[in-house]
Amino acid sequence: MRRETPTTTVDRGRFADAVTPWEDPAWREAALGWAERQLARHGLRETGAREVRVRPWSILIRFRTGADGRDAAWFKASAPASGFEAALGDALARWVPEHVLTPLAVDPDRGWCLLPDGGPLFREVLDSGGAGPEDWLDAVGQYARMQRALTPYTDRMTALGVPSARTGHLPELFDDLVESNPTLDPAARRSLRDRRPRLLDWCAELDAVGVPDSLDHCDLHDAQLLASGTGRYTFFDWGDAAVAHPFASLLVPARAVRERHGPEAMTRLRDAYLEPWTDLGPPLPELRRAATLAVRLAAVGRAVSWFRLFPGTPAADCHEASAYWIEELFTEPDLL
C-alpha cells in the first residue's frame, strides 16, 4: 500500500523573492526521498505534517517522528557557498562530539544533512525566564573550550571548504568588499581605502598576541545554540562559519548580552570566554585587548558572510548589510 504523503507547510518569512531549489519539483523529490530513506535507516517514521523553512541561504525541513514535540529530525540543504556545512558538521561530530549535534546522515557532495532534535533553543529558555546572564557565561566558556580543542584541525576545515577569514587574509577580503559593493558611492569607497592602514595595524597587533586560529561560528546568537537543561550547550548552524581568530566569535554574543542584560554583563561574558585561553601565556589585559581587536575585525567576516546565497536570489539587501559591516569596522567599538 502506498503511504499517504504528509501535509507540508512552507514558511518563506520575508523572502518571497528568494530563488531556491525548493521551487524545482525534481530537487524536492530527490531531497525528500533522501531524507525519508535516512529516517528509515534509523528506524524512524513520520508521524505528522512537514514544516519547511525556505530562506535565501538554506532550506530546512522538520520531520515529525513521534508524539512529543521534540520527536523530530531536521533536514538542511545549504546554499552552494555554505555547502561545506554538511561535511563540517560530520567532522565536528568526530572531533568535538560533546559540543555539537551528531548528524543522522550527510551528503557532502550535495550539501545536505539530517540532524536529530537537540532540545530547546537557548533563546526560548532565556525568554521563559529559565536562564539568565550567568548561563551565558557558561555557554561562552564551553564554546571557547570547544574552539581550543579545534585549533589542530584548521587546515582540515579549509580542506572541507570552510572559508578563511584568518587575520592575514582580512586585508584582501576588505579590498574585495570595498571594490565590489555597488551600494558604496565614490566618496565612501575612497574614505574606506584611506582608512585601510588602520586595518593593517590592527591585524598586525592581533597576530602578535599569538592566539592560534580556530573555527569562528560568525553568528553565535541565542538561537544558534541549544540548551538541554543539563548545564551543557550544543552549538549548531555552521553556514556562516570561517576559519579565523577565535575571539572574533565574541562579536555577536557580546551584542546580544549587552542588549538583554547590560554592559556589565557583557564584560563578564568577555572574561568568561577568555578564561580557557589564559594558559597560552599572554596576561589577561593583553587577551582583553586582543578580544577588542578581534571583535572589531570580525566585521569583515560578517560582511563577507552575507553573500552565501542560492544563485539567482536578489542580493540588494545583502550588499547593504555588507556595506554596514564594512563601515562598522572603523566605528569606535562600544563592545568589550
Side-chain angles (χ1 to χ4, degrees):
M1 178 186 297
R2 187 182 179 197
R3 185 171 63 87
E4 183 178 346
T5 301
T7 302
T8 301
T9 61
V10 180
D11 166 23
R12 294 183 176 274
R14 60 182 181 85
F15 303 100
D17 60 349
V19 178
T20 77
W22 182 254
E23 288 78 54
D24 179 355
W27 184 93
R28 287 201 306 271
E29 181 179 0
L32 292 170
W34 179 83
E36 291 168 357
R37 290 191 297 275
Q38 303 310 318
L39 288 171
R41 189 166 63 86
H42 287 275
L44 300 172
R45 64 180 185 86
E46 292 187 75
T47 60
R50 295 170 178 170
E51 300 162 31
V52 182
R53 183 176 180 270
V54 177
R55 296 294 185 264
W57 50 86
S58 69
I59 297 166
L60 192 66
I61 306 173
R62 181 174 184 261
F63 295 94
R64 297 175 182 269
T65 58
D68 186 88
R70 299 257 71 97
D71 293 334
W74 300 81
F75 166 86
K76 184 174 185 180
S78 300
S82 295
F84 62 84
E85 186 177 5
L88 175 63
D90 188 45
L92 292 176
R94 297 192 305 273
W95 298 337
V96 286
E98 67 274 27
H99 300 296
V100 298
L101 292 171
T102 297
L104 299 172
V106 297
D107 185 331
D109 293 334
R110 292 188 283 192
W112 295 352
C113 62
L114 186 69
L115 297 166
D117 189 282
L121 295 174
F122 188 40
R123 176 176 295 173
E124 296 171 352
V125 181
L126 288 166
D127 289 345
S128 70
E134 296 296 329
D135 300 280
W136 258 119
L137 307 187
D138 292 340
V140 297
Q142 181 189 328
Y143 177 79
R145 291 189 292 276
M146 180 188 71
Q147 287 183 300
R148 285 294 308 267
L150 288 172
T151 56
Y153 298 100
T154 52
D155 288 343
R156 295 195 219 180
M157 293 180 206
T158 53
L160 292 173
V162 181
S164 171
R166 296 175 189 264
T167 307
H169 295 168
L170 295 182
E172 180 183 351
L173 293 175
F174 171 81
D175 292 342
D176 290 343
L177 289 164
V178 170
E179 299 307 321
S180 64
N181 194 311
T183 68
L184 295 173
D185 59 36
R189 192 170 281 115
R190 184 168 54 253
S191 175
L192 288 165
R193 291 181 190 134
D194 289 345
R195 287 177 281 177
R196 186 178 188 274
R198 297 169 64 191
L199 168 65
L200 298 179
D201 290 342
W202 294 329
C203 289
E205 184 181 354
L206 183 59
D207 257 346
V209 178
V211 175
D213 292 325
S214 186
L215 183 64
D216 174 15
H217 185 286
C218 207
D219 195 21
L220 191 65
H221 56 71
D222 49 17
Q224 305 281 40
L225 58 151
L226 304 166
S228 65
T230 63
R232 300 290 294 176
Y233 298 87
T234 300
F235 307 99
F236 73 104
D237 196 350
W238 301 98
D240 289 334
V243 173
H245 194 288
F247 296 2
S249 288
L250 272 173
L251 171 63
V252 173
R255 286 187 169 213
V257 167
R258 183 191 61 187
E259 291 171 6
R260 188 184 280 262
H261 304 294
E264 181 180 344
M266 181 182 64
T267 56
R268 293 175 61 217
L269 177 96
R270 174 202 60 197
D271 287 350
Y273 172 83
L274 291 176
E275 194 281 330
W277 302 93
T278 54
D279 65 337
L280 289 178
L284 184 58
E286 189 172 346
L287 290 176
R288 287 171 174 163
R289 170 61 180 167
T292 299
L293 290 168
V295 164
R296 180 191 281 276
L297 292 169
V300 178
R302 292 288 290 157
V304 171
S305 69
W306 277 90
F307 299 104
R308 300 179 189 179
L309 308 175
F310 287 113
T313 293
D317 288 349
C318 298
H319 284 297
E320 291 179 5
S322 182
Y324 163 82
W325 283 109
I326 299 169
E327 289 287 354
E328 190 74 2
L329 173 65
F330 297 105
T331 303
E332 191 62 32
D334 54 2
L335 296 171
L336 310 182

